[in-house]
Amino acid sequence: MWQELHAELEAEGLTVVTVALDFDPEQSRTWIDQAAPTHPSLVDSEHRLDELLGITNVPMAVWIDEAGTIVRPAESATIRTSALRSMPLDDFPENIKNVLTEAQKIPDHSDEYRAAILDWAAHGSESRFSLSPDVVVARSQPRPMEHAKAAAAFALGTHLFTTVGKDAAMPWWRQAHELHPENWTYKRQAWTLESTPEGQPYDLLQEVGDTYGTSWYEDVVALGGGGSYGVEPRL
Amino acid sequence: MILTSLNVSPAEFAEGTGWESKPEGMCKGDACVPAPEAVTDDGQVSVREAADRLRLPLVSDEAHGVHALGPESGGRALSSAVAPDIELPDVDGNPFRLSLLHGRKVLLVAWASW
């Protein structure tokens, strides 16, 4: 998907850079091999983009112009409507049906967002989607002390995960989630370690585990349901 | 920034946080914050004092003797629209620096396998 967009816009002066927020690059590799990207395809195993750019979920994107100035801050970024959205759910077991029902409520701006990227590629700073520095800063994610502390707790957990092990990391990841529940990159990443056997592809259902005591579904509902999930692009 | 000591050299502190110790205080870009207690008599940065002054969260895992210092709080995730010069590896570990794309538009997309 991103590779196609890159190929389409490369000659116009736009480069796509994808960054996988994965502890284990091997989990990213399968997807990367399949996409066969000709653009830079990077791995951020420490989730540094959360702290540096205000990434709080995936997929999210940031636009950077030729001079290295951010012209759109981190926001939800999809360019193709997922087939999941129109899938009939009646035949699924209750738990999967619940998850997919909320997932189908997540606002979809794929067509408008893709059109906005094309407009920016063609018109640069003249594009109405290219924002001034003041607006970029003002629209970037808020960072009260709790969110900054969540970033520190997640970093400490990730450090302990690699140096000591999962049990040392979990209390810190749990704290990161409690301090900043809207940052899904903390919990969704840590969850995978709970329900996925070592060496297997990630279990994506994210049901109740020992670490958090709640499932993805319960957390989404607690935060207002799929309709308020993520950072909607203001186009 | 991960720390195993709460007293570090000014160079280490600047490397980890972007805040440099100067005569006028702790400085990052144009911003300077007076922080007389943040530098000890032997010229080290007291991380606890500096964190307090700069509104950086400090969390400590006493059992493992390790600490983490988080980003500035109280504002927005971006303090300016200048893109940080991020260096990250590809899946094989080869480093790539974002500033190599200077002169081109960049669509930076965060995704994950989870």
Side-chain angles (χ1 to χ4, degrees):
Chain A
M1 176 168 71
W2 298 109
Q3 167 59 26
E4 283 167 33
L5 186 75
H6 173 74
E8 184 180 338
L9 298 177
E10 190 178 14
E12 286 199 59
L14 184 143
T15 299
V16 170
V17 176
T18 53
V19 181
L21 271 58
D22 269 310
F23 287 156
D24 177 6
E26 292 312 309
Q27 292 281 1
S28 325
R29 189 185 295 274
T30 318
W31 299 87
I32 294 171
D33 286 352
Q34 207 178 333
T38 58
H39 57 75
S41 166
L42 312 175
V43 181
D44 177 13
S45 58
E46 297 171 355
H47 294 208
R48 284 171 55 211
L49 296 193
D50 290 27
E51 186 170 320
L52 291 170
L53 298 172
I55 299 289
T56 54
N57 206 345
V58 295
M60 286 178 83
V62 171
W63 297 9
I64 303 169
D65 74 6
E66 294 86 341
T69 303
I70 298 173
V71 295
R72 288 194 75 85
E75 59 195 349
S76 292
T78 55
I79 53 171
R80 185 186 294 157
T81 300
S82 165
L84 277 180
R85 291 186 172 276
S86 48
M87 197 166 59
L89 306 179
D90 291 345
D91 295 337
F92 284 101
E94 193 67 20
N95 59 339
I96 298 179
K97 193 172 156 182
N98 284 341
V99 167
L100 291 174
T101 300
E102 292 310 312
Q104 289 187 345
K105 290 183 197 162
I106 299 170
D108 178 23
H109 298 288
S110 303
D111 293 344
E112 302 100 294
Y113 189 73
R114 191 178 194 285
I117 295 168
L118 264 51
D119 190 75
W120 177 52
H123 304 293
S125 60
E126 298 298 313
S127 166
R128 72 179 180 89
F129 303 107
S130 172
L131 305 174
S132 71
D134 288 349
V135 175
V136 165
V137 170
R139 283 200 198 173
S140 70
Q141 292 294 294
R143 183 159 286 158
M145 183 49 109
E146 301 83 62
H147 296 188
K149 195 174 173 193
F154 187 78
L156 189 54
T158 305
H159 175 77
L160 289 167
F161 176 61
T162 50
T163 54
V164 182
K166 189 179 108 175
D167 291 346
M170 281 298 181
W172 292 105
W173 286 338
R174 191 184 308 131
Q175 189 179 117
H177 174 63
E178 285 163 4
L179 288 164
H180 191 183
E182 296 87 355
N183 186 330
W184 292 92
T185 80
Y186 299 148
K187 186 169 175 179
R188 290 178 68 192
Q189 169 81 83
W191 238 320
T192 58
L193 301 172
E194 189 140 305
S195 49
T196 305
E198 206 175 325
Q200 298 295 307
Y202 284 149
D203 163 26
L204 299 179
L205 193 55
Q206 312 209 318
E207 301 228 78
V208 178
D210 296 340
T211 311
Y212 297 113
T214 52
S215 64
W216 181 90
Y217 169 70
E218 288 166 328
D219 280 15
V220 167
V221 169
L223 290 172
S228 48
Y229 183 73
V231 179
E232 274 194 75
R234 290 163 59 184
L235 298 169
Chain B
M1 180 189 192
I2 299 294
L3 301 143
T4 50
S5 164
L6 291 178
N7 284 297
V8 299
S9 73
E12 275 178 273
F13 193 77
E15 164 91 26
T17 65
W19 289 94
E20 293 178 60
S21 174
K22 292 188 175 174
E24 54 269 48
M26 303 300 290
C27 300
K28 187 182 208 173
D30 295 336
C32 283
V33 177
E37 306 87 5
V39 180
T40 62
D41 293 342
D42 56 358
Q44 297 285 93
V45 174
S46 161
V47 174
R48 213 176 278 285
E49 293 289 347
D52 199 37
R53 282 288 173 159
L54 301 171
R55 299 176 54 80
L56 309 174
L58 178 66
V59 294
S60 300
D61 189 308
E62 304 298 344
H64 298 96
V66 58
H67 318 269
L69 199 55
E72 291 86 9
S73 65
R76 313 295 297 186
L78 298 177
S79 55
S80 99
V82 178
D85 188 14
I86 300 163
E87 185 181 285
L88 289 168
D90 68 13
V91 74
D92 294 312
N94 307 303
F96 181 88
R97 195 169 266 281
L98 208 55
S99 55
L100 285 172
L101 294 171
H102 215 78
R104 296 186 60 81
K105 296 184 183 75
V106 174
L107 179 71
L108 185 74
V109 182
W111 67 284
S113 63
W114 28 261

